[in-house]
């Protein structure tokens, strides 16, 4: 058995932009928070803890409408004793847009927890057209040179015929391979 995380995840290397976002979020909470991933919510809580903002972040989090894209951010919210207010259907970015398209978003402040390797153009364009202001944050990144070498080793093992089965659990893993 060979185990190789196709997608290693780490905090962004510069905490300052995330901490600044957390300060904006807690000082003047938005109307809505779009949670793209459970990983992102977990990382935001970690950044808040390290910056001494966890209590105020959690208090603000209870007050904003939480919009989730998929089951993982829902699970993370539940671990924090919270629940989503709106779950995108389908659980995709297009689902978020569809779920919000019937609402009047003009003048609403929307915080967005992003995920790496996606420019999020469609969501940003939709929110602009709807008249919302938005404040995105990216709090984690994928992979590194070390993980790249491990992925190449697995590919070499496959090419040599020493791998009978490989399982992927997410689309980013397939892209990475």
């Amino acid at each position: 058995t060979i185990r190789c995380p196709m997608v290693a995840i780490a905090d962004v290397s510069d905490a300052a932009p995330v901490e600044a976002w957390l300060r904006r979020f807690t000082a003047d909470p938005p109307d809505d928070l779009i949670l793209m991933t459970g990983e992102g919510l977990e990382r935001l809580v970690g950044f808040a803890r390290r910056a001494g903002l966890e209590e105020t972040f959690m208090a603000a989090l209870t007050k904003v409408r939480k919009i989730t894209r998929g089951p993982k951010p829902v699970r993370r919210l539940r671990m924090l004793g919270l629940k989503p207010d709106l779950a995108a259907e389908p659980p995709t970015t297009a689902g978020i847009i569809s779920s919000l398209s019937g609402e009047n978003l003009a003048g609403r402040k929307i915080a967005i927890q992003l995920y790496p390797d996606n420019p999020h153009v469609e969501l940003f364009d939709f929110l602009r057209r709807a008249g919302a202001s938005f404040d995105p944050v990216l709090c984690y990144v994928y992979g590194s040179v070390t993980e790249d070498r491990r992925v190449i080793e697995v590919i070499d093992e496959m090419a040599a015929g020493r791998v009978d089965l490989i399982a992927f659990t997410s689309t980013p893993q397939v892209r990475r391979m």
Side-chain angles (χ1 to χ4, degrees):
T1 301
I2 301 170
R3 291 181 185 234
C4 174
M6 289 291 144
V7 181
I9 300 173
D11 287 344
V12 291
S13 59
D14 183 4
V18 179
E19 290 173 3
W21 183 92
L22 287 164
R23 284 189 183 85
R24 289 190 303 275
F25 188 95
T26 56
D28 186 21
D31 299 301
D32 304 307
L33 170 61
I34 296 174
L35 294 167
M36 300 295 256
T37 65
E39 183 72 33
L41 177 56
E42 181 178 346
R43 300 270 172 178
L44 285 174
V45 171
F47 275 101
R49 182 178 309 115
R50 291 185 296 276
L53 297 169
E54 185 176 16
E55 189 174 309
T56 54
F57 177 63
M58 293 304 298
L61 195 56
T62 64
K63 296 175 184 168
V64 303
R65 179 172 70 156
K66 291 160 286 299
I67 302 163
T68 56
R69 190 197 110 214
K72 291 178 182 177
V74 171
R75 203 168 19 250
R76 295 287 183 187
L77 281 170
R78 287 191 181 136
M79 291 170 70
L80 297 171
L82 301 170
K83 62 180 181 163
D85 298 295
L86 177 63
E89 279 301 323
T92 61
T93 301
I96 288 174
I97 293 168
S98 176
S99 296
L100 293 174
S101 64
E103 295 189 20
N104 180 2
L105 300 177
R108 288 187 74 84
K109 295 185 323 181
I110 302 175
I112 310 168
Q113 171 267 304
L114 304 175
Y115 60 92
D117 299 339
N118 185 321
H120 304 280
V121 174
E122 296 86 5
L123 179 60
F124 294 169
D125 286 349
F126 165 75
L127 293 173
R128 269 190 212 97
R129 285 191 311 272
S133 63
F134 55 94
D135 187 6
V137 65
L138 179 64
C139 52
Y140 67 96
V141 295
Y142 293 139
S144 72
V145 173
T146 303
E147 286 87 19
D148 288 347
R149 280 195 295 270
R150 184 65 186 123
V151 172
I152 291 168
E153 289 172 15
V154 170
I155 292 169
D156 290 342
E157 291 291 312
M158 291 169 56
R162 292 188 288 270
V163 175
D164 296 317
L165 173 72
I166 188 163
F168 297 96
T169 59
S170 70
T171 304
Q173 291 175 334
V174 174
R175 272 188 245 134
R176 184 148 165 88
M177 181 57 85

